[in-house]
Amino acid sequence: MRIKSVGKILCVAAAMTMFAQSAVAEKVLKLGTVGFLGMPIGDAIDQALIPTLKEASGGKLTIEPHYRKSLCSEQSCGEQANQGLLQLWTSSTANFGNFGTALAIFDLPYIFKSIEDADRISSEWLAKKQCDIAAEEAGHVCLTVYSSGGFRQLGNAHGPVHVPADMKGIKWRVTKSPIEYTLIKNWGAVPVPYDWAQLYQGLQTGVVSGQYVATPWQHVAKLHEVAKYYTEIGGSWSGNQLSMDKRQYDALTDQEKEWLHAAAKAFGQKVQELDRDWVESGEKAIKADIKEWYVPNDEELKLWRAGAIDAWLNAKGSFDPATAERVLKEQGMTDFIAQLKKAGAL
């Protein structure tokens, strides 16, 4: 009897120990995102962020993803993080602006020359510099900045567009972004705010004749079926970010923070890789089905950049001029620096 009693006691003790261990073994971070599986953001979360964090922490820190706006949508995700309803969230750098201006520099037109430059400079120093500012200013710890679709490019159903003058008088779809509105207006077109969901039909019927959208998204929406003329002007980079509410981040142990940053780094590298492939495949498919894909020469690009100066002027106060100049210098964009300084934008 005594042996049986001892055995029962040991079994109960073992069970209680296992329960206690399991109770503290896993901390779940809920993530809200508009990304989804099948696009770079969703796939990078699934293939890099989640498994890296699980492996680094030995399962003590895990992520519960909520894709396709199932939990929230960009700005509302940040608000829910502030309320403690979730921990991690993604958004465009533009929508991060609802919480502070630290990431506004990524949205300046022509701050980057290419996807490669954007990825390199962001990864090497710019993302960390601006994310450190965001942590204090915005109440969110920005863990990484990355692209979702590369650069916006001009597509239209009207005809060839090689220089800004070719856009004069054409009705061009714009979002609610003041930067985009300024660009399209300065390039000579007529800015027309128009819903994304109706854009295919709008181009088809002539309500609008052009759009300025990242090429993979143009391919996904099949806009190239009705807009047969494209111009590779670059300009607006499709920056995105992954953040965690600062109060919840501060509550993590140093070890948990280390695990999280390792996972965020892996996610950033993976999403860059997937995004470049996404951009390349989207552009390849578009080029095979349109009448013209025009690449401006250096002199023509100066004209396109000149149209961006007012956007920089309007954004003054939301970015550090010395940081912006350093970014431009690292890419050899001395002519653009001179244009900006002459206008008082830098």
Side-chain angles (χ1 to χ4, degrees):
M1 290 293 291
R2 184 178 296 174
I3 294 174
K4 288 183 179 180
S5 297
V6 172
K8 287 181 180 179
I9 291 171
L10 290 174
C11 287
V12 171
M16 290 178 67
T17 300
M18 290 178 63
F19 177 78
Q21 289 176 341
S22 63
V24 298
E26 183 178 332
K27 183 180 291 185
V28 179
L29 304 179
K30 190 180 292 186
L31 182 153
T33 180
V34 299
F36 53 87
L37 298 176
M39 68 168 289
I41 295 175
D43 287 347
I45 289 170
D46 182 62
Q47 297 172 22
L49 185 66
I50 293 174
T52 301
L53 184 58
K54 185 176 181 180
E55 181 180 353
S57 69
K60 294 179 182 178
L61 198 59
T62 61
I63 290 173
E64 177 185 302
H66 293 264
Y67 300 110
R68 284 186 181 269
K69 305 182 185 180
S70 61
L71 195 63
C72 52
S73 177
E74 299 223 318
Q75 179 182 341
S76 64
C77 286
E79 292 168 351
Q80 288 190 27
N82 285 154
Q83 296 163 12
L85 300 176
L86 56 85
Q87 290 73 45
L88 297 165
W89 62 290
T90 72
S91 78
S92 65
T93 48
N95 277 329
F96 189 87
N98 291 291
F99 304 94
T101 61
L103 304 187
I105 192 169
F106 292 97
D107 299 322
L108 292 170
Y110 294 104
I111 188 71
F112 299 121
K113 284 177 65 176
S114 68
I115 292 176
E116 291 76 17
D117 285 319
D119 287 346
R120 174 179 57 81
I121 294 171
S122 296
S123 299
E124 287 179 356
W125 65 273
L126 185 60
K128 184 180 186 311
K129 179 181 175 63
Q130 299 308 122
C131 285
D132 285 347
I133 296 171
E136 298 305 319
E137 173 192 90
H140 293 279
V141 176
C142 164
L143 300 168
T144 187
V145 177
Y146 54 92
S147 162
S148 179
F151 287 91
R152 295 185 177 206
Q153 309 295 1
L154 297 172
N156 85 91
H158 185 269
V161 169
H162 297 174
V163 294
D166 295 334
M167 290 175 66
K168 186 175 182 180
I170 300 175
K171 290 181 291 185
W172 218 273
R173 178 261 182 179
V174 295
T175 63
K176 295 179 181 179
S177 164
I179 288 179
E180 185 179 350
Y181 187 95
T182 300
L183 285 173
I184 297 302
K185 184 179 179 181
N186 285 358
W187 287 333
V190 179
V192 180
Y194 204 77
D195 183 65
W196 167 254
Q198 304 300 318
L199 185 51
Y200 185 101
Q201 184 179 3
L203 289 165
Q204 192 175 40
T205 58
V207 176
V208 291
S209 294
Q211 82 281 339
Y212 185 43
V213 178
T215 42
W217 288 111
Q218 294 201 42
H219 179 242
V220 167
K222 300 182 179 180
L223 301 183
H224 58 289
E225 293 180 352
V226 287
K228 296 294 185 180
Y229 300 91
Y230 278 74
T231 316
E232 189 180 314
I233 62 163
S236 295
W237 186 62
S238 300
N240 275 245
Q241 60 81 35
L242 168 69
S243 285
M244 183 173 183
D245 171 65
K246 188 175 187 302
R247 286 175 298 179
Q248 298 183 76
Y249 175 85
D250 289 343
L252 296 176
T253 66
D254 289 343
Q255 180 67 81
E256 288 170 337
K257 291 175 183 176
E258 185 178 322
W259 294 333
L260 181 59
H261 281 283
K265 182 178 180 180
F267 166 76
Q269 292 172 341
K270 189 65 176 179
V271 78
Q272 282 183 2
E273 172 193 331
L274 295 174
D275 194 68
R276 288 193 195 187
D277 290 343
W278 194 41
V279 171
E280 184 178 342
S281 62
E283 290 187 354
K284 183 178 180 181
I286 288 173
K287 289 175 181 178
D289 193 41
I290 60 173
K291 293 181 179 179
E292 180 179 81
W293 180 284
Y294 186 73
V295 181
N297 59 39
D298 290 342
E299 290 304 310
E300 290 168 337
L301 272 178
K302 287 182 182 179
L303 299 176
W304 291 106
R305 288 178 183 143
I309 291 174
D310 278 353
W312 280 66
L313 282 166
N314 293 340
K316 283 190 75 172
S318 68
F319 66 94
D320 174 37
T323 301
E325 184 170 351
R326 177 184 170 185
V327 173
L328 296 172
K329 278 184 176 179
E330 288 190 8
Q331 301 169 86
M333 298 172 69
T334 53
D335 287 346
F336 191 42
I337 291 172
Q339 285 180 292
L340 291 167
K341 286 188 172 181
K342 183 178 180 180
L346 193 62

